[in-house]
Amino acid sequence: MSALGRRGLAVATDLADAAAAERLVQDALGAFGRVDALVYNALAMPPIKELREVALEAVSASFEANVVAALRLTRLLVPALAESKGSVVVINSMVVRFSQRTMGPYKLTKAALLATAQSLATELGPQASG
């Protein structure tokens, strides 16, 4: 393993904060000179309540942290990933395949994250093969 492979970088970041996400990308590029992969595994757990009862503000905050933040970080890293022929991996949940009472808010954000990942794959995939 190269010396670069042994180094790590820890940057506490609120991914729902656009400026903080930009700093994370700049810190990574500054520390390593390149980015080979983005593995998105962040989660802001929404309230475990039925959709008909959960506060819409809570759903919105969870959506921002779980879906919009993933899109934001991917968009920020597209140039670096294209240069390194890197990849994006989005970690999701089996909740998108099953329904369980009170899991609606969580399922809502994870289903949107799945749609986001699929659409990004359609848009960005041709860059990898071209």
Side-chain angles (χ1 to χ4, degrees):
M1 180 180 281
S2 71
L4 182 62
R6 290 187 204 130
R7 288 192 325 198
L9 177 68
V11 181
T13 305
D14 176 358
L15 293 175
D17 178 339
E22 288 178 23
R23 280 191 303 277
L24 173 64
V25 169
Q26 292 309 312
D27 287 351
L29 289 171
F32 301 108
R34 61 186 281 163
V35 174
D36 294 313
L38 165 61
V39 179
Y40 195 85
N41 192 30
L43 170 65
M45 191 66 174
I48 304 300
K49 291 185 168 189
E50 292 183 4
L51 281 173
R52 63 191 174 109
E53 297 174 351
V54 68
L56 293 179
E57 295 79 15
V59 172
S60 181
S62 180
F63 192 86
E64 174 71 27
N66 295 323
V67 181
V68 176
L71 177 58
R72 177 184 297 116
L73 196 55
T74 302
R75 289 169 62 165
L76 289 169
L77 285 168
V78 162
L81 291 168
E83 187 176 313
S84 70
K85 297 187 186 300
S87 298
V88 177
V89 176
V90 177
I91 308 298
N92 210 317
S93 170
M94 286 298 293
V95 75
V96 298
R97 300 198 184 276
F98 304 101
S99 284
Q100 183 180 357
R101 201 172 185 139
T102 73
M103 292 301 286
Y106 179 61
K107 184 175 182 175
L108 177 72
T109 62
K110 289 300 188 173
L113 183 60
L114 176 61
T116 301
Q118 289 171 331
S119 293
L120 285 169
T122 300
E123 292 176 20
L124 300 175
Q127 290 183 22
S129 62

